[in-house]
Amino acid sequence: GLEYDTIKRILSDFNIPFYMSKKESLGVHPLAIYLISVIQCVRKGMKREDVIALSKNPAIFASKRERDAFCRYVYENLVDYKGFLNVFERESAYKEKAEKLRQKIVKLFLQVGNIKSTVSVSDFITACKTVIENAYMAPLVDDEKNNVAIETLEFDKAKEFIIKALDFINDIYGNSIMSSDFLVDSLRDLLSSTEFSMVQKTSKVIKIGT
C-alpha cells in the first residue's frame, strides 16, 4: 500500500539496487543535485549547511563513515565558510576521516574557481563540466563495506544527459556575460524538464512498477 516514491526513497537510502519502470525528472538524480550543490557552495562562500548537504551526496565518492565523521567534526568545531579551506587539525576521534573528505570537497571548489554575480557563459559551462568529470569515476571499493550502490544510480547515463544540457545552454548564449543566478536557474530548469529513468543492468534487483 506504500506509494511509489516512498518505496524508491527507502531503497535509495539503504543502497538497495532497484529498477525504475517510471521515468522522472533528471533534476532529482544525485549527480544533477551534486552539480548544482557544488556551484551553489562556491557562489555562497561555502556556508556550513550547504557543504554538509554536499558531503552527503553519493557523487562525492566517500564511504558512510567518512561522511558521518565529516559532519560530526564540522558541527563539533563549528566549521563554516573559509574554514573549510583550512586543514582539520583539532584533535577529534573523527579528524582523520573528516579531513580526507574535506580535501575532496575543497578540491572541487578550487576546480570551480570564483563564480561572481556575473560570469562568462563559457567559463560557467567549463566549471560545470569540470565538476561533472570529477564526480563519478569508477565503482568505489572500500573494506568498510558501507558504500553507495553507484551502479544503481546510472551515473554514466545521467552524466551524458547533463553534459547535453550544458552544451545546449552554451549553444544558446554563446560567449555572453550573464548573471550567474540566471545561468544556475536555467540549468536547474533544463535538468528538471529532462525525463530520466534509472535502469539497473544486472538481474539481482528489486523492481518497482508493473
Side-chain angles (χ1 to χ4, degrees):
L2 293 176
E3 293 185 1
Y4 170 88
D5 290 336
T6 303
I7 299 173
K8 187 195 69 175
R9 173 64 183 273
I10 293 171
L11 297 180
S12 295
D13 285 354
F14 286 91
N15 304 324
I16 299 172
F18 62 89
Y19 165 83
M20 293 172 53
S21 62
K22 167 186 168 184
K23 286 188 176 182
E24 62 181 13
S25 167
L26 176 60
V28 303
H29 188 279
L31 190 58
I33 295 173
Y34 164 82
L35 171 59
I36 298 296
S37 295
V38 173
I39 298 299
Q40 292 292 66
C41 278
V42 172
R43 293 177 68 238
K44 295 180 181 179
M46 297 172 282
K47 290 173 60 177
R48 182 188 302 143
E49 57 266 32
D50 293 336
V51 178
I52 287 293
L54 175 61
S55 74
K56 296 178 180 179
N57 191 292
I60 284 293
F61 206 42
S63 71
K64 184 177 184 301
R65 290 183 183 180
E66 287 175 353
R67 299 171 197 275
D68 291 344
F70 181 82
C71 293
R72 290 191 177 190
Y73 185 96
V74 167
Y75 284 127
E76 284 181 1
N77 295 281
L78 301 179
V79 182
D80 210 355
Y81 296 104
K82 291 186 178 180
F84 288 103
L85 300 177
N86 301 322
V87 177
F88 287 172
E89 296 181 325
R90 183 170 296 180
E91 287 305 317
S92 167
Y94 316 111
K95 183 179 74 171
E96 185 177 344
K97 286 184 172 60
E99 171 60 17
K100 184 177 179 180
L101 183 49
R102 184 201 71 84
Q103 291 176 10
K104 294 179 182 179
I105 293 174
V106 170
K107 183 179 179 181
L108 277 173
F109 294 160
L110 294 178
Q111 289 171 339
V112 171
N114 184 26
I115 298 181
K116 300 180 180 179
S117 57
T118 57
V119 63
S120 160
V121 174
S122 59
D123 287 347
F124 177 81
I125 297 301
T126 298
C128 289
K129 287 187 176 181
T130 299
V131 171
I132 290 298
E133 292 295 339
N134 288 280
Y136 169 64
M137 303 301 290
L140 181 62
V141 177
D142 190 318
D143 58 6
E144 293 173 344
K145 296 181 180 180
N146 52 11
N147 308 308
V148 176
I150 294 293
E151 292 180 359
T152 305
L153 300 175
E154 288 283 351
F155 269 67
D156 290 337
K157 185 177 178 182
K159 177 180 174 181
E160 178 184 344
F161 277 78
I162 293 171
I163 293 297
K164 286 181 179 179
L166 292 169
D167 287 338
F168 179 76
I169 291 176
N170 194 49
D171 289 342
I172 295 296
Y173 300 113
N175 294 319
S176 305
I177 303 295
M178 305 187 71
S179 161
S180 58
D181 280 337
F182 176 81
L183 288 173
V184 171
D185 288 343
S186 297
L187 176 59
R188 186 185 285 112
D189 289 344
L190 263 179
L191 298 178
S192 296
S193 62
T194 301
E195 284 192 335
F196 184 80
S197 179
M198 293 187 283
V199 181
Q200 175 59 251
K201 297 178 181 179
T202 63
S203 60
K204 296 180 179 179
V205 300
I206 290 177
K207 296 180 180 179
I208 307 177
T210 56

